[in-house]
């Protein structure tokens, strides 16, 4: 059974870079069959897609992040990451890593999520 | 960007009743639409993908329908564990977008 687990600092200072890692177990991220993605949810609010990664390294990003987001892949560790630069309090959220269906609509499964607070 | 508008924002029903949740897209998304259920403190769970296909392990009381711009999630006979927030999501066009959610609460 595929499982995803987010890890990284729970507190980041304003203007610094948020870095999270998603460790995938029970399956390989080096597959042509799926995408991999990051989604976030500010406290008490809805879901926001950040970006999507393909095993080849191709990426798609939400323009609302204005090039602040990058999603590198490390197939040797079966991990992918999120880097978000120049963070502000508005980036405080629960961050989820997810597997994304390739040919249709659907994110499944989801990691449990990790809360990142941006504060000095 | 495709805007997804969910209605109603809040739906108050009793266990055993039928729930009908709506998701309307600002432009056609064909059938590239999914539905999720989220309970407090938990990650969202995929219910329906590609507008009408139930995800693995999802009870048959959940069903999805629609294509183009109008979609519906129906819960045939509500059980207590179904009271949660529901989101729709499209991936017909980048960027991927979500609706703002419908809160299903016990009446």
């Amino acid at each position: 059974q595929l499982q995803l687990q987010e890890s990284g600092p729970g507190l980041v200072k304003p203007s610094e870079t948020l870095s999270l890692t998603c460790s995938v177990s029970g399956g390989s991220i080096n597959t042509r069959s799926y995408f991999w993605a990051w989604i976030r949810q500010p406290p008490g609010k809805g879901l926001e897609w950040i970006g999507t990664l393909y095993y080849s390294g191709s990426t798609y990003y939400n323009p609302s992040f204005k090039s602040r987001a990058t999603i590198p892949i490390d197939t040797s560790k079966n991990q992918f990451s999120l880097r978000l630069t120049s963070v502000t309090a508005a980036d405080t959220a629960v961050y989820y890593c997810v597997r994304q269906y390739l040919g249709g609509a659907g994110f499944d499964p989801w990691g449990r999520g990790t809360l990142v607070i941006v504060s000095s | 960007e495709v805007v997804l508008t969910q209605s109603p924002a809040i739906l108050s029903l009793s266990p055993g009743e039928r729930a009908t949740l709506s998701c309307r897209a600002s432009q056609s998304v064909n059938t590239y639409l999914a539905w999720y259920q989220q309970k407090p403190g938990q990650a969202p769970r995929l219910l329906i993908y590609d507008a009408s296909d139930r995800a693995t392990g999802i009870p048959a009381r959940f069903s999805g329908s629609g294509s183009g711009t109008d979609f519906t999630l129906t819960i045939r006979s509500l059980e207590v564990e179904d009271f949660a927030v529901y989101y729709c999501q499209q991936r017909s066009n980048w960027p991927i977008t979500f609706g703002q959610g419908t809160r299903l609460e016990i009446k």
Side-chain angles (χ1 to χ4, degrees):
Chain A
Q1 181 180 356
L2 190 80
Q3 292 187 319
L4 297 90
Q5 177 68 57
E6 305 89 351
S7 60
L11 181 64
V12 181
K13 289 183 168 55
S15 81
E16 295 190 343
T17 296
L18 179 160
S19 294
L20 297 174
T21 296
C22 182
S23 299
V24 180
S25 59
S28 174
I29 64 170
N30 196 18
T31 174
R32 298 181 179 185
S33 300
Y34 295 96
F35 289 119
W36 306 91
W38 287 95
I39 292 166
R40 74 178 186 181
Q41 185 172 36
K45 297 188 178 181
L47 300 163
E48 182 177 33
W49 171 72
I50 300 171
T52 289
L53 167 73
Y54 194 46
Y55 82 104
S56 62
S58 297
T59 48
Y60 308 83
Y61 295 108
N62 190 330
S64 69
F65 288 88
K66 296 181 175 61
S67 301
R68 294 192 299 129
T70 56
I71 303 179
I73 189 171
D74 188 339
T75 54
S76 67
K77 294 182 179 179
N78 218 35
Q79 294 176 338
F80 63 102
S81 300
L82 172 67
R83 287 175 51 85
L84 187 64
T85 61
S86 305
V87 296
T88 69
D91 294 310
T92 293
V94 175
Y95 287 77
Y96 296 101
C97 61
V98 297
R99 185 179 67 176
Q100 179 181 338
Y101 289 179
L102 188 66
F107 293 109
D108 180 63
W110 293 58
R112 296 182 67 176
T114 186
L115 174 63
V116 179
I117 297 172
V118 179
S119 174
S120 56
Chain B
E1 173 175 316
V2 176
V3 177
L4 298 178
T5 302
Q6 293 187 240
S7 61
I10 301 173
L11 182 58
S12 298
L13 293 170
S14 300
E17 291 192 294
R18 180 188 186 97
T20 302
L21 287 69
S22 174
C23 178
R24 177 163 290 178
S26 59
Q27 63 190 78
S28 176
V29 297
N30 296 299
T31 56
Y32 293 117
L33 189 108
W35 290 93
Y36 302 85
Q37 176 193 69
Q38 187 177 32
K39 297 180 180 180
Q42 296 183 17
R45 177 175 70 146
L46 178 67
L47 300 174
I48 302 290
Y49 65 96
D50 294 350
S52 60
D53 292 331
R54 262 191 311 277
T56 302
I58 301 303
R61 64 180 182 274
F62 291 90
S63 63
S65 63
S67 65
T69 60
D70 290 297
F71 300 86
T72 300
L73 174 69
T74 302
I75 310 172
R76 192 172 59 227
S77 177
L78 284 166
E79 301 196 4
V80 172
E81 62 263 30
D82 298 336
F83 291 91
V85 178
Y86 292 83
Y87 294 97
C88 58
Q89 169 251 321
Q90 68 81 26
R91 70 138 288 182
S92 177
N93 299 294
W94 303 100
I96 293 170
T97 52
F98 288 87
Q100 82 282 13
T102 289
R103 180 179 304 278
L104 178 56
E105 62 177 32
I106 298 179
K107 188 173 183 179

